[in-house]
Amino acid sequence: MLAYKKTYIKRRNAMLQSPYRKEWSASTSIAKSFIGTSVGSRIPTVKEYAELFSCSRGIVQNALAFLEERNVIVLEKQGKKGTFLIEKNEKALFACSGLTNLTASMPPPLNLHLAGLATGICQGMNRCEIPFTFAFVQGAKNRAEALLRGSYDFVVTTQYSAKVQMAKYEELEIAFPFIGCEYSLPYKLYINKPGKAQIEDGMTIAVDPTSSDQIELTRQVCADKKVHIIEMPLISSVYAFYKGVVDCIIFRDGLEDSSQNLLNSALQHEHCIPKSQISVLPLHSDKINEMQIPVALVSRKNYGIDGILKNYISDGAVSDIQKNVLSGKMAPQFY
């Protein structure tokens, strides 16, 4: 009987470690969920796990037993109250989760707000048991589509952009907002026609087709106006604006403030429109507040990732670090 039990356990362990079986998928997902579960918390029932992963209860029971037998977790059944997580070995959970690294994407940190946000996230993720990598990609649309493809574990967007992408792709969801952080400086309207303080018929305006925020604000300021909209990447539009190729641009990086704007190489080129001829106008929109709040956007298919992230980067520390970078008390540190 003992020999039979050892053989059974050996076969089951091999089954759980195979990436080509549903058992492996369920066990790694359950391990991921425990990484983000606080000790003392009630865990889902076997039935709830089975429904979540579209598998049998036996698969779930085997996965939980696999983790318990290796002392990766300690569970305690408390009758009708349910089953609770009593202890966990986070390093061992990562080994059982199938995760070898975590990846994320956010806009290029071309101003201090984004540099501070990137620094705060990296500082938090440095505490993780596995390596963390940041990719800097312009355009919320581009980042969201890469998230859907599985290129990243989470992406940083504004709350407004996240809602736009979630309306298009139901598997996306906001894991959490970065409480106390600001995404960047507020958007403003820039016009390089002397004496012009508003959009007029016949003007040209540049817009980045991958930026949900910029698209919405451009739609609002150009309503009822016969303008020419030219699509181009955000960085290219800055050069086009100072060269006079386009008349207007909606921008948020402090275009008029050299201490905030890291794109000022455009101003060093010959034949550029001088700052004195540029009008800078505030924008008013009911969406502005949502465009100032940074959030972590994740895929529901990546079960447990939201809990993992909350372990490291949702405790207010990111906000403190961003403020220190903005005030000059801390140098940006991201990779």
Side-chain angles (χ1 to χ4, degrees):
M1 187 69 176
L2 183 60
Y4 170 80
K5 186 177 180 180
K6 288 182 178 179
T7 301
Y8 166 76
I9 292 174
K10 185 176 181 180
R11 287 178 178 174
R12 188 193 63 199
N13 292 347
M15 173 185 69
L16 290 174
Q17 293 172 351
S18 172
Y20 303 104
R21 303 183 64 95
K22 182 174 287 189
E23 290 86 349
W24 182 88
S25 177
S27 66
T28 55
S29 295
I30 290 172
K32 280 199 296 184
S33 72
F34 280 126
I35 295 172
T37 301
S38 300
V39 171
S41 299
R42 177 188 175 277
I43 70 168
T45 64
V46 170
K47 179 182 178 182
E48 288 169 340
Y49 274 133
E51 291 176 351
L52 184 62
F53 301 124
S54 300
C55 65
S56 70
R57 296 188 184 189
I59 289 176
V60 173
Q61 290 168 337
N62 283 342
L64 292 173
F66 176 83
L67 295 174
E68 285 191 282
E69 287 167 1
R70 280 160 175 70
N71 297 317
V72 177
I73 59 171
V74 176
L75 301 178
E76 181 178 280
K77 294 181 179 179
Q78 298 182 11
K80 293 182 179 180
K81 290 183 179 180
T83 301
F84 292 77
L85 177 65
I86 304 304
E87 295 180 24
K88 66 176 181 177
N89 182 327
E90 196 161 290
K91 185 174 183 179
L93 279 171
F94 270 108
C96 294
S97 71
L99 292 171
T100 56
N101 65 292
L102 291 171
T103 59
S105 179
M106 67 173 289
L110 298 175
N111 61 57
L112 284 178
H113 280 81
L114 289 174
L117 186 60
T119 299
I121 293 172
C122 286
Q123 292 288 309
M125 294 306 296
N126 277 341
R127 298 186 288 114
C128 188
E129 293 286 346
I130 57 177
F132 172 70
T133 303
F134 239 146
F136 300 116
V137 177
Q138 181 60 43
K141 177 177 180 291
N142 292 334
R143 296 193 296 278
E145 290 178 351
L147 179 63
L148 287 167
R149 294 193 300 269
S151 300
Y152 307 117
D153 292 296
F154 72 98
V155 300
V156 178
T157 71
T158 66
Q159 188 175 70
Y160 175 77
S161 290
K163 289 181 176 180
V164 170
Q165 299 306 318
M166 287 161 58
K168 293 169 59 179
Y169 308 109
E170 62 180 12
E171 59 262 52
L172 297 183
E173 64 179 353
I174 295 174
F176 53 82
F178 290 93
I179 302 297
C181 294
E182 285 188 296
Y183 191 83
S184 191
L185 293 172
Y187 276 107
K188 295 176 184 177
L189 172 64
Y190 296 83
I191 302 175
N192 59 22
K193 298 295 183 184
K196 302 295 183 181
Q198 63 179 5
I199 298 285
E200 296 182 1
D201 290 348
M203 285 185 172
T204 57
I205 184 167
V207 62
D208 186 337
T210 68
S211 172
S212 304
D213 295 353
Q214 197 186 47
I215 289 171
E216 172 60 20
L217 292 175
T218 300
R219 183 191 65 79
Q220 290 185 24
V221 300
C222 295
D224 303 321
K225 301 292 183 181
K226 296 180 180 179
V227 300
H228 302 288
I229 296 177
I230 301 176
E231 293 185 350
M232 63 177 68
L234 187 63
I235 294 178
S236 300
S237 67
V238 175
Y239 288 81
F241 177 78
Y242 276 114
K243 288 289 188 179
V245 176
V246 296
D247 304 317
C248 317
I249 183 175
I250 290 175
F251 202 72
R252 73 185 309 159
D253 287 339
L255 203 59
E256 77 281 12
D257 184 354
S258 60
S259 68
Q260 275 287 300
N261 174 36
L262 303 184
L263 300 177
N264 273 293
S265 58
L267 296 174
Q268 299 173 8
H269 291 202
E270 295 181 1
H271 311 300
C272 281
I273 295 173
K275 285 187 176 182
S276 59
Q277 295 183 19
I278 294 173
S279 299
V280 183
L281 308 170
L283 291 173
H284 304 285
S285 169
D286 58 352
K287 308 292 194 305
I288 287 293
N289 286 340
E290 290 187 338
M291 293 178 181
Q292 288 297 99
I293 301 172
V295 302
L297 188 66
V298 298
S299 170
R300 288 188 178 92
K301 293 182 179 180
N302 193 0
Y303 181 75
I305 192 64
D306 55 340
I308 293 175
L309 300 180
K310 289 173 184 177
N311 265 1
Y312 305 110
I313 57 175
S314 64
D315 57 0
V318 177
S319 173
D320 292 338
I321 290 174
Q322 186 188 50
K323 290 173 183 176
N324 286 336
V325 171
L326 285 169
S327 67
K329 294 180 181 178
M330 180 179 182
Q333 301 172 30
F334 52 82
Y335 48 89

